[in-house]
Amino acid sequence: FEFLANRSVRVPSIDVAELTDLFEARLLVESDLVRRAASRKNERLDVSLRHKAASLEQALAAGELPAILSANYEFHFSVYGAAAAATLNGIAERLWLRMSPLHISV
């Protein structure tokens, strides 16, 4: 969000170059988080991720946007958490927040 002089708030505009940059940054950060999570994989994580992926598939099939966004977030951040990389998790979270207006307007 951007804070304006009249004390209001607005969603900032994102041009194509900035959007491309955000996607490329997410690709780099998320790829490393997935690699780290995969190296720590266990049965409990596998079951949890399968459940979250199924929830996302159900939401997609139903076309329920709030449920889709929530399930997508839950799946991704479960993978990130499994990576046990606090600094990269923080970067991933900031990238998601920067792109959140795009997710909401899908």
Side-chain angles (χ1 to χ4, degrees), residues 20-50:
T20 300
D21 186 50
L22 285 168
F23 276 116
E24 289 173 355
R26 274 189 67 185
L27 180 62
L28 290 170
V29 171
E30 291 179 18
S31 295
D32 194 57
L33 286 167
V34 168
R35 181 187 57 77
R36 290 173 188 231
S39 73
R40 302 170 59 86
K41 183 180 174 189
N42 58 52
E43 185 65 27
R44 184 172 155 203
L45 175 62
D46 190 46
V47 169
S48 174
L49 291 178
R50 287 180 189 274

Side-chain angles (χ1 to χ4, degrees), residues 13-25 98-99 102:
S13 299
I14 298 177
D15 63 22
V16 173
E18 186 176 5
L19 182 61
T20 300
D21 186 50
L22 285 168
F23 276 116
E24 289 173 355
R98 182 65 180 109
M99 296 180 73
L102 299 176

Side-chain angles (χ1 to χ4, degrees), residues 36-74:
R36 290 173 188 231
S39 73
R40 302 170 59 86
K41 183 180 174 189
N42 58 52
E43 185 65 27
R44 184 172 155 203
L45 175 62
D46 190 46
V47 169
S48 174
L49 291 178
R50 287 180 189 274
H51 175 73
K52 290 178 187 332
S55 294
L56 177 55
E57 289 175 16
Q58 289 172 348
L60 286 166
E64 297 173 358
L65 186 57
I68 292 168
L69 297 175
S70 178
N72 187 46
Y73 179 90
E74 288 295 323

